[in-house]
mmCIF file of all heavy atoms in Angstrom:
data_model
loop_
_atom_site.group_PDB
_atom_site.id
_atom_site.type_symbol
_atom_site.label_atom_id
_atom_site.label_comp_id
_atom_site.label_asym_id
_atom_site.label_seq_id
_atom_site.Cartn_x
_atom_site.Cartn_y
_atom_site.Cartn_z
ATOM 1 N N ILE A 98 4.111 -61.280 114.750
ATOM 2 C CA ILE A 98 3.847 -60.052 114.005
ATOM 3 C C ILE A 98 3.631 -58.934 115.013
ATOM 4 O O ILE A 98 2.791 -59.063 115.919
ATOM 5 C CB ILE A 98 2.607 -60.179 113.102
ATOM 6 C CG1 ILE A 98 2.749 -61.359 112.136
ATOM 7 C CG2 ILE A 98 2.385 -58.878 112.318
ATOM 8 C CD1 ILE A 98 1.490 -61.643 111.328
ATOM 9 N N VAL A 99 4.384 -57.865 114.878
ATOM 10 C CA VAL A 99 4.211 -56.687 115.717
ATOM 11 C C VAL A 99 3.372 -55.681 114.932
ATOM 12 O O VAL A 99 3.705 -55.338 113.794
ATOM 13 C CB VAL A 99 5.561 -56.063 116.106
ATOM 14 C CG1 VAL A 99 5.350 -54.781 116.910
ATOM 15 C CG2 VAL A 99 6.392 -57.062 116.916
ATOM 16 N N PHE A 100 2.292 -55.240 115.530
ATOM 17 C CA PHE A 100 1.422 -54.244 114.912
ATOM 18 C C PHE A 100 1.577 -52.908 115.635
ATOM 19 O O PHE A 100 1.671 -52.864 116.858
ATOM 20 C CB PHE A 100 -0.050 -54.664 114.997
ATOM 21 C CG PHE A 100 -0.411 -55.842 114.151
ATOM 22 C CD1 PHE A 100 -0.496 -57.112 114.704
ATOM 23 C CD2 PHE A 100 -0.678 -55.688 112.799
ATOM 24 C CE1 PHE A 100 -0.842 -58.206 113.936
ATOM 25 C CE2 PHE A 100 -1.021 -56.777 112.009
ATOM 26 C CZ PHE A 100 -1.100 -58.041 112.578
ATOM 27 N N ILE A 101 1.602 -51.837 114.868
ATOM 28 C CA ILE A 101 1.504 -50.483 115.411
ATOM 29 C C ILE A 101 0.295 -49.828 114.761
ATOM 30 O O ILE A 101 0.145 -49.855 113.538
ATOM 31 C CB ILE A 101 2.762 -49.645 115.119
ATOM 32 C CG1 ILE A 101 3.959 -50.172 115.920
ATOM 33 C CG2 ILE A 101 2.522 -48.172 115.443
ATOM 34 C CD1 ILE A 101 3.887 -49.922 117.411
ATOM 35 N N THR A 102 -0.569 -49.258 115.593
ATOM 36 C CA THR A 102 -1.680 -48.479 115.049
ATOM 37 C C THR A 102 -1.445 -47.014 115.367
ATOM 38 O O THR A 102 -0.921 -46.667 116.432
ATOM 39 C CB THR A 102 -3.035 -48.922 115.633
ATOM 40 O OG1 THR A 102 -3.075 -48.643 117.041
ATOM 41 C CG2 THR A 102 -3.269 -50.398 115.390
ATOM 42 N N VAL A 103 -1.812 -46.166 114.426
ATOM 43 C CA VAL A 103 -1.679 -44.723 114.592
ATOM 44 C C VAL A 103 -3.047 -44.099 114.400
ATOM 45 O O VAL A 103 -3.642 -44.220 113.327
ATOM 46 C CB VAL A 103 -0.690 -44.122 113.569
ATOM 47 C CG1 VAL A 103 -0.411 -42.665 113.899
ATOM 48 C CG2 VAL A 103 0.600 -44.923 113.528
ATOM 49 N N GLU A 104 -3.542 -43.451 115.439
ATOM 50 C CA GLU A 104 -4.813 -42.755 115.342
ATOM 51 C C GLU A 104 -4.509 -41.283 115.107
ATOM 52 O O GLU A 104 -3.852 -40.632 115.909
ATOM 53 C CB GLU A 104 -5.636 -42.945 116.609
ATOM 54 C CG GLU A 104 -7.082 -43.181 116.300
ATOM 55 C CD GLU A 104 -7.865 -43.761 117.455
ATOM 56 O OE1 GLU A 104 -7.263 -44.392 118.333
ATOM 57 O OE2 GLU A 104 -9.093 -43.560 117.440
ATOM 58 N N THR A 105 -4.970 -40.769 113.979
ATOM 59 C CA THR A 105 -4.509 -39.458 113.530
ATOM 60 C C THR A 105 -5.669 -38.563 113.093
ATOM 61 O O THR A 105 -5.783 -38.228 111.913
ATOM 62 C CB THR A 105 -3.537 -39.608 112.345
ATOM 63 O OG1 THR A 105 -4.218 -40.352 111.312
ATOM 64 C CG2 THR A 105 -2.274 -40.333 112.737
ATOM 65 N N PRO A 106 -6.523 -38.130 114.003
ATOM 66 C CA PRO A 106 -7.563 -37.184 113.589
ATOM 67 C C PRO A 106 -6.936 -35.892 113.092
ATOM 68 O O PRO A 106 -6.065 -35.313 113.741
ATOM 69 C CB PRO A 106 -8.362 -36.958 114.884
ATOM 70 C CG PRO A 106 -7.430 -37.346 115.994
ATOM 71 C CD PRO A 106 -6.562 -38.431 115.451
ATOM 72 N N GLY A 107 -7.364 -35.460 111.899
ATOM 73 C CA GLY A 107 -6.810 -34.229 111.341
ATOM 74 C C GLY A 107 -5.578 -34.414 110.475
ATOM 75 O O GLY A 107 -5.108 -33.467 109.850
ATOM 76 N N TRP A 108 -5.040 -35.637 110.412
ATOM 77 C CA TRP A 108 -3.890 -35.916 109.560
ATOM 78 C C TRP A 108 -4.342 -36.722 108.341
ATOM 79 O O TRP A 108 -5.286 -37.490 108.409
ATOM 80 C CB TRP A 108 -2.827 -36.725 110.303
ATOM 81 C CG TRP A 108 -2.172 -36.026 111.452
ATOM 82 C CD1 TRP A 108 -2.702 -35.808 112.689
ATOM 83 C CD2 TRP A 108 -0.857 -35.471 111.480
ATOM 84 N NE1 TRP A 108 -1.803 -35.162 113.486
ATOM 85 C CE2 TRP A 108 -0.650 -34.938 112.780
ATOM 86 C CE3 TRP A 108 0.178 -35.373 110.546
ATOM 87 C CZ2 TRP A 108 0.534 -34.324 113.145
ATOM 88 C CZ3 TRP A 108 1.357 -34.760 110.923
ATOM 89 C CH2 TRP A 108 1.538 -34.239 112.203
ATOM 90 N N THR A 109 -3.614 -36.583 107.243
ATOM 91 C CA THR A 109 -3.878 -37.343 106.030
ATOM 92 C C THR A 109 -2.715 -38.282 105.771
ATOM 93 O O THR A 109 -1.546 -37.887 105.872
ATOM 94 C CB THR A 109 -4.057 -36.397 104.819
ATOM 95 O OG1 THR A 109 -5.147 -35.507 105.069
ATOM 96 C CG2 THR A 109 -4.345 -37.187 103.557
ATOM 97 N N LEU A 110 -3.018 -39.536 105.426
ATOM 98 C CA LEU A 110 -1.985 -40.519 105.113
ATOM 99 C C LEU A 110 -1.912 -40.729 103.610
ATOM 100 O O LEU A 110 -2.925 -40.967 102.952
ATOM 101 C CB LEU A 110 -2.307 -41.857 105.801
ATOM 102 C CG LEU A 110 -1.406 -43.043 105.427
ATOM 103 C CD1 LEU A 110 0.028 -42.791 105.851
ATOM 104 C CD2 LEU A 110 -1.944 -44.333 106.053
ATOM 105 N N ASN A 111 -0.700 -40.654 103.069
ATOM 106 C CA ASN A 111 -0.471 -40.907 101.655
ATOM 107 C C ASN A 111 0.849 -41.645 101.496
ATOM 108 O O ASN A 111 1.921 -41.072 101.682
ATOM 109 C CB ASN A 111 -0.439 -39.592 100.867
ATOM 110 C CG ASN A 111 -0.220 -39.816 99.374
ATOM 111 O OD1 ASN A 111 -0.471 -40.896 98.857
ATOM 112 N ND2 ASN A 111 0.273 -38.794 98.688
ATOM 113 N N ASN A 112 0.761 -42.943 101.186
ATOM 114 C CA ASN A 112 1.960 -43.745 100.945
ATOM 115 C C ASN A 112 2.938 -43.686 102.124
ATOM 116 O O ASN A 112 4.125 -43.408 101.962
ATOM 117 C CB ASN A 112 2.658 -43.293 99.657
ATOM 118 C CG ASN A 112 3.703 -44.287 99.191
ATOM 119 O OD1 ASN A 112 3.592 -45.485 99.457
ATOM 120 N ND2 ASN A 112 4.723 -43.798 98.506
ATOM 121 N N LYS A 113 2.436 -43.943 103.333
ATOM 122 C CA LYS A 113 3.214 -43.976 104.581
ATOM 123 C C LYS A 113 3.710 -42.604 105.017
ATOM 124 O O LYS A 113 4.561 -42.497 105.895
ATOM 125 C CB LYS A 113 4.392 -44.957 104.470
ATOM 126 C CG LYS A 113 3.954 -46.420 104.359
ATOM 127 C CD LYS A 113 5.122 -47.348 104.095
ATOM 128 C CE LYS A 113 6.074 -47.422 105.254
ATOM 129 N NZ LYS A 113 7.122 -48.440 105.051
ATOM 130 N N ASN A 114 3.173 -41.542 104.413
ATOM 131 C CA ASN A 114 3.532 -40.175 104.800
ATOM 132 C C ASN A 114 2.300 -39.476 105.384
ATOM 133 O O ASN A 114 1.244 -39.451 104.759
ATOM 134 C CB ASN A 114 4.043 -39.384 103.592
ATOM 135 C CG ASN A 114 5.234 -40.045 102.933
ATOM 136 O OD1 ASN A 114 6.206 -40.393 103.593
ATOM 137 N ND2 ASN A 114 5.157 -40.248 101.632
ATOM 138 N N PHE A 115 2.455 -38.905 106.579
ATOM 139 C CA PHE A 115 1.367 -38.194 107.242
ATOM 140 C C PHE A 115 1.559 -36.680 107.103
ATOM 141 O O PHE A 115 2.670 -36.177 107.273
ATOM 142 C CB PHE A 115 1.310 -38.552 108.721
ATOM 143 C CG PHE A 115 0.798 -39.931 109.000
ATOM 144 C CD1 PHE A 115 1.678 -41.005 109.109
ATOM 145 C CD2 PHE A 115 -0.561 -40.168 109.158
ATOM 146 C CE1 PHE A 115 1.207 -42.279 109.366
ATOM 147 C CE2 PHE A 115 -1.039 -41.444 109.416
ATOM 148 C CZ PHE A 115 -0.149 -42.503 109.519
ATOM 149 N N THR A 116 0.465 -35.975 106.809
ATOM 150 C CA THR A 116 0.476 -34.517 106.712
ATOM 151 C C THR A 116 -0.670 -33.970 107.544
ATOM 152 O O THR A 116 -1.785 -34.492 107.490
ATOM 153 C CB THR A 116 0.303 -34.053 105.255
ATOM 154 O OG1 THR A 116 1.310 -34.662 104.442
ATOM 155 C CG2 THR A 116 0.427 -32.531 105.153
ATOM 156 N N ASP A 117 -0.400 -32.912 108.322
ATOM 157 C CA ASP A 117 -1.447 -32.374 109.181
ATOM 158 C C ASP A 117 -2.442 -31.544 108.376
ATOM 159 O O ASP A 117 -2.263 -31.300 107.183
ATOM 160 C CB ASP A 117 -0.844 -31.562 110.340
ATOM 161 C CG ASP A 117 -0.481 -30.148 109.952
ATOM 162 O OD1 ASP A 117 0.030 -29.936 108.836
ATOM 163 O OD2 ASP A 117 -0.711 -29.241 110.763
ATOM 164 N N SER A 118 -3.522 -31.113 109.038
ATOM 165 C CA SER A 118 -4.648 -30.495 108.340
ATOM 166 C C SER A 118 -4.294 -29.184 107.655
ATOM 167 O O SER A 118 -4.963 -28.776 106.701
ATOM 168 C CB SER A 118 -5.809 -30.260 109.310
ATOM 169 O OG SER A 118 -5.406 -29.407 110.376
ATOM 170 N N LYS A 119 -3.249 -28.508 108.108
ATOM 171 C CA LYS A 119 -2.852 -27.245 107.487
ATOM 172 C C LYS A 119 -1.656 -27.389 106.558
ATOM 173 O O LYS A 119 -1.139 -26.411 106.031
ATOM 174 C CB LYS A 119 -2.563 -26.188 108.559
ATOM 175 C CG LYS A 119 -3.825 -25.676 109.257
ATOM 176 C CD LYS A 119 -3.628 -24.283 109.791
ATOM 177 C CE LYS A 119 -4.937 -23.681 110.275
ATOM 178 N NZ LYS A 119 -4.789 -22.251 110.668
ATOM 179 N N GLY A 120 -1.208 -28.613 106.370
ATOM 180 C CA GLY A 120 -0.109 -28.851 105.441
ATOM 181 C C GLY A 120 1.235 -28.336 105.908
ATOM 182 O O GLY A 120 2.153 -28.162 105.101
ATOM 183 N N GLN A 121 1.392 -28.135 107.203
ATOM 184 C CA GLN A 121 2.635 -27.584 107.740
ATOM 185 C C GLN A 121 3.542 -28.640 108.355
ATOM 186 O O GLN A 121 4.750 -28.463 108.404
ATOM 187 C CB GLN A 121 2.312 -26.522 108.797
ATOM 188 C CG GLN A 121 1.566 -25.316 108.260
ATOM 189 C CD GLN A 121 2.368 -24.582 107.212
ATOM 190 O OE1 GLN A 121 3.451 -24.058 107.472
ATOM 191 N NE2 GLN A 121 1.849 -24.552 105.990
ATOM 192 N N LEU A 122 2.969 -29.739 108.818
ATOM 193 C CA LEU A 122 3.741 -30.773 109.493
ATOM 194 C C LEU A 122 3.640 -32.074 108.713
ATOM 195 O O LEU A 122 2.558 -32.462 108.271
ATOM 196 C CB LEU A 122 3.213 -31.001 110.912
ATOM 197 C CG LEU A 122 3.138 -29.786 111.835
ATOM 198 C CD1 LEU A 122 2.512 -30.169 113.158
ATOM 199 C CD2 LEU A 122 4.509 -29.178 112.043
ATOM 200 N N THR A 123 4.760 -32.748 108.525
ATOM 201 C CA THR A 123 4.773 -34.046 107.851
ATOM 202 C C THR A 123 5.722 -34.990 108.573
ATOM 203 O O THR A 123 6.747 -34.565 109.107
ATOM 204 C CB THR A 123 5.200 -33.930 106.376
ATOM 205 O OG1 THR A 123 6.516 -33.350 106.313
ATOM 206 C CG2 THR A 123 4.233 -33.082 105.578
ATOM 207 N N TRP A 124 5.364 -36.259 108.591
ATOM 208 C CA TRP A 124 6.274 -37.291 109.080
ATOM 209 C C TRP A 124 5.964 -38.593 108.356
ATOM 210 O O TRP A 124 4.882 -38.764 107.813
ATOM 211 C CB TRP A 124 6.196 -37.465 110.595
ATOM 212 C CG TRP A 124 4.871 -37.893 111.145
ATOM 213 C CD1 TRP A 124 3.805 -37.089 111.448
ATOM 214 C CD2 TRP A 124 4.459 -39.227 111.468
ATOM 215 N NE1 TRP A 124 2.763 -37.836 111.942
ATOM 216 C CE2 TRP A 124 3.128 -39.148 111.970
ATOM 217 C CE3 TRP A 124 5.075 -40.481 111.391
ATOM 218 C CZ2 TRP A 124 2.422 -40.274 112.382
ATOM 219 C CZ3 TRP A 124 4.373 -41.603 111.799
ATOM 220 C CH2 TRP A 124 3.061 -41.485 112.300
ATOM 221 N N SER A 125 6.948 -39.484 108.337
ATOM 222 C CA SER A 125 6.820 -40.722 107.570
ATOM 223 C C SER A 125 7.064 -41.930 108.455
ATOM 224 O O SER A 125 7.810 -41.864 109.442
ATOM 225 C CB SER A 125 7.830 -40.734 106.412
ATOM 226 O OG SER A 125 7.628 -39.626 105.562
ATOM 227 N N VAL A 126 6.439 -43.032 108.082
ATOM 228 C CA VAL A 126 6.670 -44.302 108.760
ATOM 229 C C VAL A 126 7.961 -44.914 108.222
ATOM 230 O O VAL A 126 8.225 -44.888 107.015
ATOM 231 C CB VAL A 126 5.480 -45.253 108.535
ATOM 232 C CG1 VAL A 126 5.756 -46.626 109.140
ATOM 233 C CG2 VAL A 126 4.207 -44.646 109.125
ATOM 234 N N ASP A 127 8.777 -45.463 109.118
ATOM 235 C CA ASP A 127 10.063 -46.023 108.714
ATOM 236 C C ASP A 127 9.899 -47.169 107.713
ATOM 237 O O ASP A 127 8.880 -47.872 107.694
ATOM 238 C CB ASP A 127 10.823 -46.517 109.947
ATOM 239 C CG ASP A 127 12.286 -46.741 109.668
ATOM 240 O OD1 ASP A 127 13.034 -45.753 109.584
ATOM 241 O OD2 ASP A 127 12.693 -47.920 109.503
ATOM 242 N N ASP A 128 10.934 -47.362 106.899
ATOM 243 C CA ASP A 128 10.865 -48.320 105.792
ATOM 244 C C ASP A 128 10.616 -49.755 106.235
ATOM 245 O O ASP A 128 10.076 -50.562 105.469
ATOM 246 C CB ASP A 128 12.174 -48.269 104.987
ATOM 247 C CG ASP A 128 12.372 -46.943 104.273
ATOM 248 O OD1 ASP A 128 11.371 -46.243 104.056
ATOM 249 O OD2 ASP A 128 13.533 -46.611 103.955
#
Side-chain angles (χ1 to χ4, degrees):
I98 304 173
V99 176
F100 291 99
I101 291 290
T102 65
V103 189
E104 221 163 336
T105 56
W108 295 76
T109 301
L110 173 63
N111 181 21
N112 193 28
K113 293 174 67 173
N114 303 309
F115 287 92
T116 305
D117 82 320
S118 60
K119 288 206 170 186
Q121 297 299 298
L122 305 176
T123 59
W124 62 276
S125 301
V126 175
D127 196 76
D128 294 339

